[in-house]
Amino acid sequence: MVEKVITLENIPLLDFLGPGNENIKHIAAAFPQSKLVSRGNEIRIQGRAPEILRINDLLNMLLQHFHRFGHITPENIQEYIALEGAPFEENLKNDVIIYGNKGLVVKPKSANQRKLVEASFKNDLVFALGPAGTGKTYIAVALAVRALKNREVKRIIITRPAVEAGENLGFLPGDLQEKLDPYLRPIYDALSDMVPSEKLKFYQETRVIEIAPLAYMRGRTLHDAFVLLDEAQNTTSEQIKMFLTRMGPNSKVIITGDQTQVDLPKRQKSGLREALHVLKDVKGIGIVSLSGKDVIRHKLVKSIIEAYEKNESQKVTEKDEHKRPKGTDEGGA
């Protein structure tokens, strides 16, 4: 038996350990051959050396997660425990998608982000679905830059439908490109993290990296390219079909969307929803769903998303109850 003591310094113990040491109990349950005891700001681990090393790696990753996001949940613990094979630090190091500017390391930060990366490696077409803040677009851009750097493709094409979220493009100043730039800003921000500014400017001038409205894709064949369709929930059925049929030889496509934030006119159906239904049984297409658990923005964003999801669920329940004929029970007797 080997013993290791980890001292928690400058950490709010209740937030990290959880009420009644709930988080430590989750870790202990995953490693039944070892003994974990939390006393004050110390965590004592007793067991065999290989397992102690894994627990140590896990705790270090949870500490990094806590310093970054300000909270630890049982779901976070399960996600890190799910990382199999090598010790956690080595495993995560191998998950690096690209090294960006100023020492930035871009890699998946949740189990579902990891699934998105794996799905992209295995499939030429991937749907990445989930609410804002889950990193789906950022990871997709990183995968595109990686493919370009590794010369797996010759160009990157990033597009999105020109649909306003409660605003009117016609009232914005400038030409079409200037009107669209604010809507494409998240893409530019992601690229600026990963490609040096001068090289990014050169890539755009030579159309190695092209960022354009979806309407510009009509009539083109997108070959030798990594193509990202962002905000796909705002495509019409005709638009997304047009886009999907643009795929050419040696092309990779990731389509991202949030089905809860459709900005189309009320009577207009989302092309993304239809595409998912039509293509659900087609082999070679990956579909990855991210959730509030994957949110990597401010820790309040996760709570906000969960509150809205709960509210929407209540609305559906109330609507169903309102439709049910009076004087009948669920059994219809």
Side-chain angles (χ1 to χ4, degrees):
M1 295 284 286
V2 179
E3 181 177 274
K4 180 175 180 61
V5 178
I6 296 177
T7 303
L8 304 176
E9 297 180 352
N10 301 318
I11 292 285
L13 297 180
L14 180 61
D15 292 340
F16 183 78
L17 300 176
N21 288 340
E22 177 187 26
N23 292 338
I24 295 299
K25 291 175 182 176
H26 275 282
I27 298 171
F31 299 93
Q33 302 301 318
S34 298
K35 183 178 180 181
L36 276 75
V37 178
S38 174
R39 291 179 180 172
N41 68 336
E42 290 185 346
I43 300 176
R44 291 183 178 272
I45 314 168
Q46 294 179 340
R48 294 179 300 171
E51 196 162 83
I52 285 181
L53 288 174
R54 291 204 67 203
I55 296 171
N56 182 68
D57 289 334
L58 172 60
L59 287 170
N60 283 334
M61 290 309 305
L62 290 173
L63 284 168
Q64 290 180 30
H65 183 102
F66 184 84
H67 285 307
R68 185 174 179 85
F69 303 112
H71 62 90
I72 295 288
T73 67
E75 289 81 8
N76 298 143
I77 295 170
Q78 292 304 318
E79 287 174 358
Y80 287 119
I81 289 174
L83 302 177
E84 299 175 353
F88 285 85
E89 288 182 359
E90 181 181 344
N91 203 325
L92 287 175
K93 180 176 67 177
N94 294 335
D95 274 349
V96 172
I97 302 172
I98 57 166
Y99 292 95
N101 299 327
K102 299 178 181 179
L104 175 68
V105 178
V106 181
K107 58 185 178 183
K109 293 184 173 65
S110 72
N112 286 327
Q113 286 188 3
R114 177 189 292 272
K115 289 178 183 178
L116 173 55
V117 174
E118 292 173 350
S120 176
F121 290 158
K122 295 176 182 177
N123 302 279
D124 288 336
L125 172 61
V126 176
F127 287 88
L129 313 172
T134 52
K136 56 188 185 297
T137 299
Y138 196 84
I139 292 294
V141 172
L143 288 166
V145 174
R146 177 186 183 278
L148 183 65
K149 285 187 173 182
N150 291 347
R151 299 185 179 181
E152 297 168 9
V153 297
K154 294 181 180 179
R155 54 185 175 153
I156 295 172
I157 299 172
I158 303 175
T159 184
R160 65 188 301 182
V163 175
E164 310 100 280
E167 300 177 41
N168 193 322
L169 285 175
F171 289 99
L172 296 175
D175 58 21
L176 177 61
Q177 189 60 47
E178 290 172 328
K179 291 174 188 288
L180 286 167
D181 275 352
Y183 296 91
L184 297 168
R185 180 49 50 192
I187 305 296
Y188 288 116
D189 289 345
L191 285 169
S192 65
D193 280 349
M194 305 171 200
V195 183
S197 57
E198 288 300 317
K199 181 170 286 189
L200 179 58
K201 182 179 179 181
F202 172 77
Y203 280 159
Q204 289 185 263
E205 289 174 349
T206 55
R207 302 181 76 81
V208 172
I209 295 179
E210 182 180 352
I211 306 173
L214 180 59
Y216 288 13
M217 300 298 108
R218 188 175 298 277
R220 301 178 60 180
T221 301
L222 308 176
H223 57 83
D224 294 316
F226 198 115
V227 189
L228 167 61
L229 170 58
D230 194 34
E231 300 287 350
Q233 75 274 6
N234 290 328
T235 60
T236 64
S237 297
E238 294 78 13
Q239 285 176 327
I240 200 163
K241 181 181 177 182
M242 175 274 292
F243 173 80
L244 288 168
T245 55
R246 299 304 95 198
M247 288 182 68
N250 192 38
S251 60
K252 280 272 202 181
V253 175
I254 294 182
I255 296 175
T256 68
D258 176 5
Q259 297 182 83
T260 68
Q261 292 191 1
V262 177
D263 298 316
L264 293 167
K266 290 183 178 180
R267 294 185 180 180
Q268 181 72 61
K269 293 182 179 179
S270 169
L272 175 62
R273 290 174 181 168
E274 182 179 67
L276 290 169
H277 175 72
V278 171
L279 303 175
K280 61 182 178 182
D281 296 323
V282 177
K283 294 182 179 180
I285 297 177
I287 300 177
V288 179
S289 295
L290 297 95
S291 68
K293 296 176 183 178
D294 301 292
V295 170
I296 56 174
R297 293 182 179 173
H298 191 285
K299 57 185 179 181
L300 276 177
V301 175
K302 178 181 176 181
S303 299
I304 291 169
I305 290 172
E306 290 175 347
Y308 271 95
E309 288 176 346
K310 182 179 179 180
N311 184 60
E312 289 299 318
S313 178
Q314 289 175 344
K315 285 182 179 179
V316 171
T317 302
E318 291 171 0
K319 187 176 181 181
D320 290 342
E321 290 177 349
H322 182 71
K323 287 182 178 179
R324 189 180 302 149
K326 294 182 179 180
T328 64
D329 56 24
E330 292 184 4

